[in-house]
Amino acid sequence: MLIKKRTFLTGAATALGMTALASGAAFAQDDKTKVGFIYVGPINDGGWSQHHHESALKMIEEIGADKVEMVYQENVPEGPDSERAMTQMALNGADIIFSTSFGYMDPTLNVATKFPDVKFEHATGYKTAPNMSAYSARFYEGRAVQGTIAGSMTKSNTIGYIASVPIPEVVRGINSSYIHAKKVNPDVEFKIIWLYTWMDPAKEADAARTLIEQGADVILQHTDSTAPLAAAQAAGDVIGFGQAGDMAEYAPSPRVSSIIDNWAPYYTARVQAVMDGTWETHSVWEGINTGMVGIGEISDVVPEDVKAAALEMKDAISAGEYHPFTGPLNKQDGTPWLAEGEVADDGTLAGMSFYVEGLEGDIPQ
Amino acid sequence: MLRLEKRPQPSRTLSYVTPVLAVLITMVAGGLLFALLGKDPVAAIRTIFWDPLFGEFAFYYRPQLLVKGGPLILIALGLSLGFKAGIWNIGAEGQYIMGAIAGAGVGLAFYPLEAWWLFPLMVIAGALGGWAWAMIPALLKVRFGTNEILVSLMLVYVAENFLASMAIGAMKNPEGFGFPGSRNLQQYPSAHNAEIIAGTGMHWGVAAAFIAAIMAYVLMNRHILGYQIRLTGDAPRAAKFSGVKPARLVLFCLGTAGALAGLAGFFEVAGPAGQITTGFNVGYGFTAIIVAFLGRLHPFGIVLAGLLMALTYIGGEAAQSTMQLPAAAIQVFQGMLLFFLLAVDLLTNFRVRLDKREAA
Amino acid sequence: MDLGAINPLLLAASLMVAATAVMIAAVGELVVEKAGVLNLGVEGMMITGAICGFAAAATTGSPMIGFAAAAGGGALLALLFALLTQVALANQVASGLALTLFGLGMSSLIGQSYVGVKPPPTPDLDIPLLSDIPVLGPVLFSHDLMVYFGLALVAAVWAFLKYTRGGLILKAVGENHAAAHALGYKVVRIRVLAILFGGACAGLGGAYISLIRVPQWTEGMTGGAGWIALALVVFASWKPWRVLLGAYLFGGVTVLQLNLQAAGLAIPAEYLSMSPYLITILVLVIMSADRSAAPASLGRTFHASQ
């Protein structure tokens, strides 16, 4: 019966385009909810994609493998290939598809238009549709905690920053860590290297070594590999932080804490909503408060008082009592940005393309 | 003792049979590989080679074969001219990027103007962008004898960096909230490389690929230049005596390859991809090298090879998604295809003889 | 901007490390090309060596066993190339590209279970007495073993090509394979051996990246080093000591551009990251004046019945 219906629909779809088939996908359901994931890197990259995948697996554990089934595709380039991958999942009866990289934004929207009955969730973008949500994490909150530790721990007052690609997300991270390092240590200075890649261990290792040679004794990274931590370990007396994952294999030193991407609670909630029929489109930006941004355990290398200050900040951010971008703050060129006590609005933060006052160098444009 | 005896003439029949043979051997070896990875080999091979063409969703996949195969064919045709003459442009990926940047750049510069002449202008810009990028190794080779393999390849890295700087800098969408990536040309009617017939996957880039195949065939078989290219590849010294100007040939072959790669990049950015982004290029320029060899450097062979390669990509994706086959396995599979193709070439050029005498 | 932050001595020490992987791979490729064979599969052999070395070292806990396995893995992949080009007489350019494609895919398949694993550390040598020399000691004499192995390899290849009968035969085969064959030398056998040596060197270079320079395993981590190695051979006009020079120059530019960025030089980062490739092109152009240097039979197929 089912097969007949779908063949009929297939015939219709060639004539009517895809929309007919989209409703056909609904017929193709068995009792399990089908969830699709599209990853930009390999599922074992140790960074961004791996943590989306691990969160997806946690979601299945949470809801139960008897109720949900997952399909995924790794290494999907951000273009027509991703559009095809999502279309394929939708055709094969996926109920909800998570596309986990900014570059999938327009392709996701294209596929979402073709399949109105399938739900789409796009990570770190700004476009939505009735059946497409946007979700992202306030990683800059984690950077505030990191900056507090970094500024207190540095003896040379030089902090090295390995930056990936000059997009607002990365600029926010640099600003947030700088503001909070400066707060606890007015003499602190940042040295920034842009690598134009999210992950290239050899380049990251070279960059970390260069920063250490130029006097940095704290390395912050917005790239995904453990290479900078390995370089810090080899140099001795240099500390760093885990990125995307805990990187606990380098604890207690050089890794003194970390920012962990934890998407599992969000994935569980959204899939559950689809199952309950309560899924609604939204655009969310969650942080420490919901656990989307995790702060890895602060190791004992960090003095007690610094650790206490960092945890206090984490709690204040989590409770909504403190916003990392609170005035008085000026832009790099000295023009006022936020007045005393004023808090940055999400719009400005989302498109942040300027350094705050005190940082040296230019954002590559 | 087996002995190889060179055929006086490469066997024509075999040169058509061997690619098919190579595909069959690859299927067997690939099946073994998939079995080693704990997947059902028959199901995997069927998912890759059969389902996209005749499966349940073939109506969607068949047009996609053209979308994926179009740029591969277009680039491979250009490369094959040079390969025939012994000119090794392996930097088509860079020419593809520069064509996309030049073509999209012209379109974005005129935004939001709607005019009939804009798209043709962008096509010309795309071809010129690729051509100019290929002229660098060409001129250096002609003028200084610099190795074109390495120069064209180094320029890929330069082009990738340039692309990144365009996507986050000069071409960044001013209404994109500071995010990287240009405006989407799919939403700019005068600049959009739309499907010629909706739902078929036939956009102007695919049409260009088929036209280019016919033109390449005519060039190679009906034109003195084609004869000179073949002669230079087979017998460089004889070519010199018969008055072929190697420098002119280098400029022509590299220039044409660059222009076609640039066109492919432009049609991709104005069509299926839509945007200049940091990750716009996905390796078509390198895969096209395989396509050129798989198609025996013959224009019509390249068309078939491009479609076959597109099939391994699309079927490979399907196998990843439905059977959770790792992406790397598909890459190995494509590498094997080229290996076996090169290995069975032996049969085209040589007879394998049983030799009774003990070899010295 | 604060160029005073750049310490030239530390820069020198870093570039020795940054140059080692491409240097070892390039010296191997130089021997291959001297024998008249062009193997474009260096990147594939490097990444294969990187994972084989990593897997062996991580499993046994011994970096030395790791490097031995890396040489073996690189040579094994090179054997495929040798079979294709020397036995099946396939086109060398296409075979080399196939090798790279296959190596990249295969290495990430093998590497699936080694992601996130920490390899055993390779100790620095700290050569006694020499490393205590003020200033020069830390720069020159306190690296890991492979840095010195690379230098020794360059010297050994130079001596082999210049002073031994085997080196003379190898060069003869590369210059004119028909004549070498007529003299009774086994052209194919010599070339196969050269190809295997090149594969082993590329494998070692790759393992240097995965075991010492980074040290971890990720897909495609050689990131184009194999292509740079190929460029170095041409740059060096097929002379071993110039390979050393070229590798130090390339390593130097790589390290220097990072240093300039960190010191706040006002050149946009994307142009700085292009610079190693642009400088490579520039040097290739300058060097291509020296056209006598290329082995005359380079890349040409040899068959005894011709």
Side-chain angles (χ1 to χ4, degrees), chain A residues 51-82:
Chain A
H51 288 87
H52 280 287
H53 189 59
E54 281 174 3
S55 302
L57 294 174
K58 274 195 200 125
M59 174 271 293
I60 290 178
E61 215 173 292
E62 193 72 26
I63 298 178
D66 54 330
K67 298 199 191 73
V68 275
E69 123 180 57
M70 172 171 79
V71 288
Y72 67 85
Q73 203 171 314
E74 55 178 345
N75 276 334
V76 183
E78 299 171 326
D81 296 305
S82 65

Side-chain angles (χ1 to χ4, degrees), chain A residues 25-26 29-30 32-36 89 93-97 117-120 274:
Chain A
Q29 277 186 35
D30 43 15
K32 276 190 191 178
T33 303
K34 203 165 181 182
V35 187
M89 285 179 181
D95 299 292
I96 178 165
I97 295 171
D117 296 352
V118 180
K119 310 288 183 268
F120 291 84
V274 169

Side-chain angles (χ1 to χ4, degrees), chain C residues 188-290:
Chain C
V188 171
R189 189 174 304 170
I190 290 162
R191 285 188 171 169
V192 170
L193 286 173
I195 291 168
L196 293 180
F197 175 78
C201 289
L204 285 175
Y208 186 79
I209 297 176
S210 66
L211 287 176
I212 297 176
R213 198 163 147 210
V214 170
Q216 69 170 68
W217 165 255
T218 38
E219 267 186 38
M221 68 183 305
T222 42
W227 299 107
I228 299 296
L230 276 162
L232 282 180
V233 178
V234 183
F235 161 94
S237 324
W238 295 268
K239 295 181 174 69
W241 290 112
R242 287 202 202 166
V243 167
L244 179 85
L245 187 74
Y248 278 4
L249 183 76
F250 185 82
V253 174
T254 310
V255 175
L256 185 66
Q257 69 99 358
L258 292 169
N259 267 289
L260 290 174
Q261 268 208 62
L265 188 75
I267 296 179
E270 61 267 30
Y271 295 108
L272 279 173
S273 54
M274 282 180 200
S275 59
Y277 305 107
L278 288 171
I279 288 172
T280 304
I281 293 175
L282 187 70
V283 175
L284 280 173
V285 171
I286 295 166
M287 284 299 179
S288 40
D290 193 355

Side-chain angles (χ1 to χ4, degrees), chain C:
Chain C
M1 168 160 156
D2 171 25
L3 286 182
I6 303 177
N7 179 336
L9 291 171
L10 289 173
L11 195 75
S14 293
L15 79 83
M16 279 178 81
V17 172
T20 296
V22 280
M23 183 164 79
I24 295 174
V27 168
E29 177 66 15
L30 181 133
V31 171
V32 178
E33 292 189 19
K34 272 288 188 195
V37 178
L38 178 65
N39 183 353
L40 292 181
V42 183
E43 178 78 3
M45 298 183 297
M46 275 183 99
I47 192 85
T48 305
I51 186 59
C52 291
F54 191 92
T59 312
T60 61
S62 155
M64 280 303 124
I65 293 177
F67 280 110
L76 196 66
L77 199 61
L79 183 64
L80 272 180
F81 177 84
L83 287 173
L84 280 177
T85 58
Q86 303 306 304
V87 179
L89 308 182
N91 175 298
Q92 294 181 6
V93 173
S95 305
L97 289 168
L99 212 59
T100 290
L101 190 77
F102 182 78
L104 285 169
M106 205 65 198
S107 62
S108 51
L109 269 189
I110 300 171
Q112 305 247 317
S113 52
Y114 290 99
V115 171
V117 175
K118 248 169 100 173
T122 312
D124 280 349
L125 276 189
D126 287 330
I127 304 170
L129 297 179
L130 286 178
S131 62
D132 298 334
I133 303 172
V135 185
L136 283 184
V139 174
L140 294 177
F141 302 112
S142 52
H143 292 292
D144 53 86
L145 182 66
M146 290 307 281
V147 170
Y148 305 107
F149 174 83
L151 296 172
L153 189 69
V154 173
V157 165
W158 169 77
F160 169 78
L161 289 174
K162 198 166 166 72
Y163 296 113
T164 68
R165 188 160 173 272
L168 277 176
I169 295 170
L170 183 91
K171 282 191 287 194
V173 167
E175 284 304 333
N176 189 337
H177 51 213
H181 176 74
L183 288 170
Y185 296 125
K186 301 265 185 245
V187 174
V188 171
R189 189 174 304 170
I190 290 162
R191 285 188 171 169
V192 170
L193 286 173
I195 291 168
L196 293 180
F197 175 78
C201 289
L204 285 175
Y208 186 79
I209 297 176
S210 66
L211 287 176
I212 297 176
R213 198 163 147 210
V214 170
Q216 69 170 68
W217 165 255
T218 38
E219 267 186 38
M221 68 183 305
T222 42
W227 299 107
I228 299 296
L230 276 162
L232 282 180
V233 178
V234 183
F235 161 94
S237 324
W238 295 268
K239 295 181 174 69
W241 290 112
R242 287 202 202 166
V243 167
L244 179 85
L245 187 74
Y248 278 4
L249 183 76
F250 185 82
V253 174
T254 310
V255 175
L256 185 66
Q257 69 99 358
L258 292 169
N259 267 289
L260 290 174
Q261 268 208 62
L265 188 75
I267 296 179
E270 61 267 30
Y271 295 108
L272 279 173
S273 54
M274 282 180 200
S275 59
Y277 305 107
L278 288 171
I279 288 172
T280 304
I281 293 175
L282 187 70
V283 175
L284 280 173
V285 171
I286 295 166
M287 284 299 179
S288 40
D290 193 355
R291 239 176 284 183
S292 58
S297 288
L298 185 59
R300 289 185 19 221
T301 304
F302 169 77
H303 182 62
S305 69
Q306 278 171 318

